[in-house]
Amino acid sequence: MRKSLALAVLTLAGGLAFAQPSTPPTVAWSKDLKVLSSVAITDGGDLVFVGSDARIHRTDAQGAERWNYATGDIGRAHPVITPQGTVIAASYDDQVYALDTAGKLLWNIKLDGDVFASPALRPDGSLIVGTAGGSVTALSPQGQALWTFRVGSPVYSSPAVAADGTIYFGAQNGQLYALAPDGRLKWAFRAGSTVFSSPALDAQGNIYFGSSDRRIYSVAPDGRLRWSRPTGMFVNASPIVTSTGLVVVGSYDGNVYAVRTGGEDAWTYAAGAPVAAAAAELSDGSVIVPDLGGTLHAIAPNGQLLWKISTGKKIDTNVAVSDQGTLYFTTEGGTLNALQKQAPLADGPWTSFRNLPAGWGRALNTQEVQARTAAKRAAAVRAQRPAPVTPPAAPAVPVTPPVPARTPEQLAQAAGQAARVLDGQVYLPLADAAGALGLSVALLTPRTATLALPQSASAPRPTHTVPVRYLNRTAFVALAALADLPGAQVAARRAPAGVAFTLAGRTLAFPVNVPALTPLLKQPEFTPLVRR
């Protein structure tokens, strides 16, 4: 029996059953594969992702590499695998790539900005791609631009394609857009703030998404507001719609919300840390949710904890689940972890981030739903067959041991030692600097980072957005931008040379010798004569 099905159940008077916490599944393996994007899974169980090495990787189900392809930059978009096996992946080099099953380039196209949002695959093989440059473009199966809709604001929300071909996506201008299949605007719905969350669709075509205004929204196919549900902080995570009609999404307030499609609360689960990634519903009814504190939660259909795995490392990408019943999740730093002998994804309107392991990002028709159900059954039969007996091979790859968490002082030391000068300003590595100051990176885009500031006991955790620049694919933040954080006090130190930051009552020393890094240059009294 699959471990995820072996739930401890206590039946109370009246026949109401509540799942009790059970022993979490064992991590079968952990490998440092430098995973940066979400992971797409082929029908055969292969894994496809973009790495922090700016390459598109394809591995087998155990993480052994089959091939990789170099792009011009890193990428976070969920890859797409077409029914023909073509891999579609995007990068911060403004390009979309199409690779064949052997990893050879079929085509690539440069758009008007970084591609952070995940492309959507339409039934005819064409793609819908949003960019940070503020446009949404339809690409033919051969990579030619069919049409472009100018949003005028960055699009980090991944497009979702409805059964009737309507395209839904959010933008940083706080609007949810609906486009006709030919790219014409049908309507736009305005939320109270930016829409980073990607839409999910139910069987009736209703749309669900979150916003930085701290609300979960439901909008009808004609653009009318059906309902909204407040949370304690912004909702950047993307909702799912379960097989039982629950809209499940996490918030930065540390809770996971389950709301019936009609707008009534079903349950709220306290994860205890901000949630940025989408949930996934398995066929046994459990819901899997990772959080930024590094914990993977399995939640019962009634909202109670089944089990959890704590890694101590941030998890900000969505879990991936193969038809064979392997659940994959990535921890900060790019380590891919596998839980085997789990249930596959549930059959439902939108039960994972892009609605199926191959990342299509659209509603399925009746024939596709039937094909998906048959494929999962066939995969389950194959998974239950005994493996052939083979002679012992090379030793198994050891499981990556957990890395002890660094103290704020160690993070400040690392940030100071890695300081760089760009255009006359001192920059620090974002992750180390934020960690030292007790900040969490709530949202990282190609141009900005939203930092969650220290929280008071009586108020929601505030946020502050700072510009970032990338060096060797690592995000750096200006020292001056950190000095502008609300409540921050900064003072230079002479011996040892450095900068003392005080924030939320805590003072930390960063060993940054600003005068040495940015020496004052003596200017001539007169401009030199230029002869032409």
Side-chain angles (χ1 to χ4, degrees), residues 56-68:
I56 304 165
H57 294 264
R58 180 169 182 159
T59 76
D60 67 12
Q62 304 299 316
E65 185 145 285
R66 296 193 186 276
W67 51 256
N68 67 74

mmCIF file with all atom_site columns, all heavy atoms in Angstrom, residues 56-68:
data_model
loop_
_atom_site.group_PDB
_atom_site.id
_atom_site.type_symbol
_atom_site.label_atom_id
_atom_site.label_alt_id
_atom_site.label_comp_id
_atom_site.label_asym_id
_atom_site.label_entity_id
_atom_site.label_seq_id
_atom_site.pdbx_PDB_ins_code
_atom_site.Cartn_x
_atom_site.Cartn_y
_atom_site.Cartn_z
_atom_site.occupancy
_atom_site.B_iso_or_equiv
_atom_site.pdbx_formal_charge
_atom_site.auth_seq_id
_atom_site.auth_comp_id
_atom_site.auth_asym_id
_atom_site.auth_atom_id
_atom_site.pdbx_PDB_model_num
ATOM 1   N N   . ILE A 1 56 ? 19.269 24.235 -19.656 1.00 0.00 ? 56 ILE A N   1
ATOM 2   C CA  . ILE A 1 56 ? 18.064 23.410 -19.597 1.00 0.00 ? 56 ILE A CA  1
ATOM 3   C C   . ILE A 1 56 ? 18.522 21.967 -19.438 1.00 0.00 ? 56 ILE A C   1
ATOM 4   O O   . ILE A 1 56 ? 19.322 21.478 -20.240 1.00 0.00 ? 56 ILE A O   1
ATOM 5   C CB  . ILE A 1 56 ? 17.226 23.566 -20.876 1.00 0.00 ? 56 ILE A CB  1
ATOM 6   C CG1 . ILE A 1 56 ? 16.872 25.039 -21.109 1.00 0.00 ? 56 ILE A CG1 1
ATOM 7   C CG2 . ILE A 1 56 ? 15.966 22.712 -20.792 1.00 0.00 ? 56 ILE A CG2 1
ATOM 8   C CD1 . ILE A 1 56 ? 16.364 25.323 -22.506 1.00 0.00 ? 56 ILE A CD1 1
ATOM 9   N N   . HIS A 1 57 ? 18.041 21.293 -18.406 1.00 0.00 ? 57 HIS A N   1
ATOM 10  C CA  . HIS A 1 57 ? 18.478 19.922 -18.110 1.00 0.00 ? 57 HIS A CA  1
ATOM 11  C C   . HIS A 1 57 ? 17.324 18.938 -18.302 1.00 0.00 ? 57 HIS A C   1
ATOM 12  O O   . HIS A 1 57 ? 16.173 19.248 -17.978 1.00 0.00 ? 57 HIS A O   1
ATOM 13  C CB  . HIS A 1 57 ? 18.969 19.820 -16.658 1.00 0.00 ? 57 HIS A CB  1
ATOM 14  C CG  . HIS A 1 57 ? 20.206 20.605 -16.371 1.00 0.00 ? 57 HIS A CG  1
ATOM 15  N ND1 . HIS A 1 57 ? 21.465 20.057 -16.395 1.00 0.00 ? 57 HIS A ND1 1
ATOM 16  C CD2 . HIS A 1 57 ? 20.371 21.909 -16.050 1.00 0.00 ? 57 HIS A CD2 1
ATOM 17  C CE1 . HIS A 1 57 ? 22.355 20.989 -16.099 1.00 0.00 ? 57 HIS A CE1 1
ATOM 18  N NE2 . HIS A 1 57 ? 21.712 22.122 -15.879 1.00 0.00 ? 57 HIS A NE2 1
ATOM 19  N N   . ARG A 1 58 ? 17.678 17.762 -18.786 1.00 0.00 ? 58 ARG A N   1
ATOM 20  C CA  . ARG A 1 58 ? 16.748 16.635 -18.773 1.00 0.00 ? 58 ARG A CA  1
ATOM 21  C C   . ARG A 1 58 ? 17.449 15.473 -18.096 1.00 0.00 ? 58 ARG A C   1
ATOM 22  O O   . ARG A 1 58 ? 18.575 15.114 -18.452 1.00 0.00 ? 58 ARG A O   1
ATOM 23  C CB  . ARG A 1 58 ? 16.321 16.234 -20.185 1.00 0.00 ? 58 ARG A CB  1
ATOM 24  C CG  . ARG A 1 58 ? 15.346 15.044 -20.188 1.00 0.00 ? 58 ARG A CG  1
ATOM 25  C CD  . ARG A 1 58 ? 14.728 14.817 -21.547 1.00 0.00 ? 58 ARG A CD  1
ATOM 26  N NE  . ARG A 1 58 ? 13.761 13.717 -21.521 1.00 0.00 ? 58 ARG A NE  1
ATOM 27  C CZ  . ARG A 1 58 ? 12.803 13.552 -22.417 1.00 0.00 ? 58 ARG A CZ  1
ATOM 28  N NH1 . ARG A 1 58 ? 12.658 14.425 -23.405 1.00 0.00 ? 58 ARG A NH1 1
ATOM 29  N NH2 . ARG A 1 58 ? 11.968 12.534 -22.332 1.00 0.00 ? 58 ARG A NH2 1
ATOM 30  N N   . THR A 1 59 ? 16.789 14.906 -17.073 1.00 0.00 ? 59 THR A N   1
ATOM 31  C CA  . THR A 1 59 ? 17.341 13.771 -16.347 1.00 0.00 ? 59 THR A CA  1
ATOM 32  C C   . THR A 1 59 ? 16.337 12.632 -16.368 1.00 0.00 ? 59 THR A C   1
ATOM 33  O O   . THR A 1 59 ? 15.170 12.818 -16.748 1.00 0.00 ? 59 THR A O   1
ATOM 34  C CB  . THR A 1 59 ? 17.659 14.130 -14.880 1.00 0.00 ? 59 THR A CB  1
ATOM 35  O OG1 . THR A 1 59 ? 16.427 14.169 -14.127 1.00 0.00 ? 59 THR A OG1 1
ATOM 36  C CG2 . THR A 1 59 ? 18.368 15.468 -14.760 1.00 0.00 ? 59 THR A CG2 1
ATOM 37  N N   . ASP A 1 60 ? 16.784 11.458 -15.937 1.00 0.00 ? 60 ASP A N   1
ATOM 38  C CA  . ASP A 1 60 ? 15.819 10.379 -15.750 1.00 0.00 ? 60 ASP A CA  1
ATOM 39  C C   . ASP A 1 60 ? 15.116 10.576 -14.406 1.00 0.00 ? 60 ASP A C   1
ATOM 40  O O   . ASP A 1 60 ? 15.353 11.564 -13.700 1.00 0.00 ? 60 ASP A O   1
ATOM 41  C CB  . ASP A 1 60 ? 16.487 9.008  -15.866 1.00 0.00 ? 60 ASP A CB  1
ATOM 42  C CG  . ASP A 1 60 ? 17.482 8.706  -14.739 1.00 0.00 ? 60 ASP A CG  1
ATOM 43  O OD1 . ASP A 1 60 ? 17.511 9.446  -13.734 1.00 0.00 ? 60 ASP A OD1 1
ATOM 44  O OD2 . ASP A 1 60 ? 18.232 7.714  -14.855 1.00 0.00 ? 60 ASP A OD2 1
ATOM 45  N N   . ALA A 1 61 ? 14.244 9.649  -14.039 1.00 0.00 ? 61 ALA A N   1
ATOM 46  C CA  . ALA A 1 61 ? 13.449 9.797  -12.822 1.00 0.00 ? 61 ALA A CA  1
ATOM 47  C C   . ALA A 1 61 ? 14.301 9.778  -11.560 1.00 0.00 ? 61 ALA A C   1
ATOM 48  O O   . ALA A 1 61 ? 13.840 10.202 -10.493 1.00 0.00 ? 61 ALA A O   1
ATOM 49  C CB  . ALA A 1 61 ? 12.394 8.691  -12.758 1.00 0.00 ? 61 ALA A CB  1
ATOM 50  N N   . GLN A 1 62 ? 15.547 9.303  -11.656 1.00 0.00 ? 62 GLN A N   1
ATOM 51  C CA  . GLN A 1 62 ? 16.447 9.256  -10.513 1.00 0.00 ? 62 GLN A CA  1
ATOM 52  C C   . GLN A 1 62 ? 17.429 10.427 -10.488 1.00 0.00 ? 62 GLN A C   1
ATOM 53  O O   . GLN A 1 62 ? 18.332 10.464 -9.649  1.00 0.00 ? 62 GLN A O   1
ATOM 54  C CB  . GLN A 1 62 ? 17.240 7.938  -10.524 1.00 0.00 ? 62 GLN A CB  1
ATOM 55  C CG  . GLN A 1 62 ? 16.367 6.695  -10.539 1.00 0.00 ? 62 GLN A CG  1
ATOM 56  C CD  . GLN A 1 62 ? 15.479 6.608  -9.326  1.00 0.00 ? 62 GLN A CD  1
ATOM 57  O OE1 . GLN A 1 62 ? 15.923 6.860  -8.206  1.00 0.00 ? 62 GLN A OE1 1
ATOM 58  N NE2 . GLN A 1 62 ? 14.218 6.252  -9.535  1.00 0.00 ? 62 GLN A NE2 1
ATOM 59  N N   . GLY A 1 63 ? 17.265 11.366 -11.424 1.00 0.00 ? 63 GLY A N   1
ATOM 60  C CA  . GLY A 1 63 ? 18.133 12.541 -11.433 1.00 0.00 ? 63 GLY A CA  1
ATOM 61  C C   . GLY A 1 63 ? 19.415 12.376 -12.221 1.00 0.00 ? 63 GLY A C   1
ATOM 62  O O   . GLY A 1 63 ? 20.264 13.271 -12.202 1.00 0.00 ? 63 GLY A O   1
ATOM 63  N N   . ALA A 1 64 ? 19.583 11.254 -12.941 1.00 0.00 ? 64 ALA A N   1
ATOM 64  C CA  . ALA A 1 64 ? 20.774 11.054 -13.762 1.00 0.00 ? 64 ALA A CA  1
ATOM 65  C C   . ALA A 1 64 ? 20.593 11.805 -15.087 1.00 0.00 ? 64 ALA A C   1
ATOM 66  O O   . ALA A 1 64 ? 19.593 11.608 -15.791 1.00 0.00 ? 64 ALA A O   1
ATOM 67  C CB  . ALA A 1 64 ? 21.007 9.573  -14.022 1.00 0.00 ? 64 ALA A CB  1
ATOM 68  N N   . GLU A 1 65 ? 21.559 12.646 -15.421 1.00 0.00 ? 65 GLU A N   1
ATOM 69  C CA  . GLU A 1 65 ? 21.394 13.527 -16.577 1.00 0.00 ? 65 GLU A CA  1
ATOM 70  C C   . GLU A 1 65 ? 21.405 12.777 -17.901 1.00 0.00 ? 65 GLU A C   1
ATOM 71  O O   . GLU A 1 65 ? 22.241 11.917 -18.147 1.00 0.00 ? 65 GLU A O   1
ATOM 72  C CB  . GLU A 1 65 ? 22.482 14.595 -16.586 1.00 0.00 ? 65 GLU A CB  1
ATOM 73  C CG  . GLU A 1 65 ? 22.312 15.619 -17.683 1.00 0.00 ? 65 GLU A CG  1
ATOM 74  C CD  . GLU A 1 65 ? 22.741 17.002 -17.278 1.00 0.00 ? 65 GLU A CD  1
ATOM 75  O OE1 . GLU A 1 65 ? 22.001 17.668 -16.523 1.00 0.00 ? 65 GLU A OE1 1
ATOM 76  O OE2 . GLU A 1 65 ? 23.816 17.417 -17.718 1.00 0.00 ? 65 GLU A OE2 1
ATOM 77  N N   . ARG A 1 66 ? 20.449 13.161 -18.764 1.00 0.00 ? 66 ARG A N   1
ATOM 78  C CA  . ARG A 1 66 ? 20.402 12.658 -20.136 1.00 0.00 ? 66 ARG A CA  1
ATOM 79  C C   . ARG A 1 66 ? 21.047 13.660 -21.081 1.00 0.00 ? 66 ARG A C   1
ATOM 80  O O   . ARG A 1 66 ? 21.818 13.282 -21.964 1.00 0.00 ? 66 ARG A O   1
ATOM 81  C CB  . ARG A 1 66 ? 18.964 12.385 -20.553 1.00 0.00 ? 66 ARG A CB  1
ATOM 82  C CG  . ARG A 1 66 ? 18.270 11.291 -19.743 1.00 0.00 ? 66 ARG A CG  1
ATOM 83  C CD  . ARG A 1 66 ? 16.985 10.875 -20.430 1.00 0.00 ? 66 ARG A CD  1
ATOM 84  N NE  . ARG A 1 66 ? 16.202 9.928  -19.637 1.00 0.00 ? 66 ARG A NE  1
ATOM 85  C CZ  . ARG A 1 66 ? 16.401 8.615  -19.616 1.00 0.00 ? 66 ARG A CZ  1
ATOM 86  N NH1 . ARG A 1 66 ? 17.395 8.091  -20.313 1.00 0.00 ? 66 ARG A NH1 1
ATOM 87  N NH2 . ARG A 1 66 ? 15.625 7.829  -18.892 1.00 0.00 ? 66 ARG A NH2 1
ATOM 88  N N   . TRP A 1 67 ? 20.719 14.941 -20.925 1.00 0.00 ? 67 TRP A N   1
ATOM 89  C CA  . TRP A 1 67 ? 21.354 15.989 -21.728 1.00 0.00 ? 67 TRP A CA  1
ATOM 90  C C   . TRP A 1 67 ? 21.115 17.350 -21.075 1.00 0.00 ? 67 TRP A C   1
ATOM 91  O O   . TRP A 1 67 ? 20.296 17.478 -20.171 1.00 0.00 ? 67 TRP A O   1
ATOM 92  C CB  . TRP A 1 67 ? 20.856 15.999 -23.170 1.00 0.00 ? 67 TRP A CB  1
ATOM 93  C CG  . TRP A 1 67 ? 19.375 16.028 -23.412 1.00 0.00 ? 67 TRP A CG  1
ATOM 94  C CD1 . TRP A 1 67 ? 18.593 14.985 -23.811 1.00 0.00 ? 67 TRP A CD1 1
ATOM 95  C CD2 . TRP A 1 67 ? 18.479 17.159 -23.299 1.00 0.00 ? 67 TRP A CD2 1
ATOM 96  N NE1 . TRP A 1 67 ? 17.284 15.379 -23.949 1.00 0.00 ? 67 TRP A NE1 1
ATOM 97  C CE2 . TRP A 1 67 ? 17.180 16.705 -23.657 1.00 0.00 ? 67 TRP A CE2 1
ATOM 98  C CE3 . TRP A 1 67 ? 18.640 18.494 -22.947 1.00 0.00 ? 67 TRP A CE3 1
ATOM 99  C CZ2 . TRP A 1 67 ? 16.072 17.538 -23.655 1.00 0.00 ? 67 TRP A CZ2 1
ATOM 100 C CZ3 . TRP A 1 67 ? 17.526 19.336 -22.937 1.00 0.00 ? 67 TRP A CZ3 1
ATOM 101 C CH2 . TRP A 1 67 ? 16.260 18.853 -23.298 1.00 0.00 ? 67 TRP A CH2 1
ATOM 102 N N   . ASN A 1 68 ? 21.868 18.351 -21.532 1.00 0.00 ? 68 ASN A N   1
ATOM 103 C CA  . ASN A 1 68 ? 21.602 19.726 -21.117 1.00 0.00 ? 68 ASN A CA  1
ATOM 104 C C   . ASN A 1 68 ? 21.887 20.653 -22.286 1.00 0.00 ? 68 ASN A C   1
ATOM 105 O O   . ASN A 1 68 ? 22.631 20.309 -23.206 1.00 0.00 ? 68 ASN A O   1
ATOM 106 C CB  . ASN A 1 68 ? 22.414 20.116 -19.875 1.00 0.00 ? 68 ASN A CB  1
ATOM 107 C CG  . ASN A 1 68 ? 23.898 20.173 -20.146 1.00 0.00 ? 68 ASN A CG  1
ATOM 108 O OD1 . ASN A 1 68 ? 24.383 21.095 -20.795 1.00 0.00 ? 68 ASN A OD1 1
ATOM 109 N ND2 . ASN A 1 68 ? 24.628 19.176 -19.638 1.00 0.00 ? 68 ASN A ND2 1
#
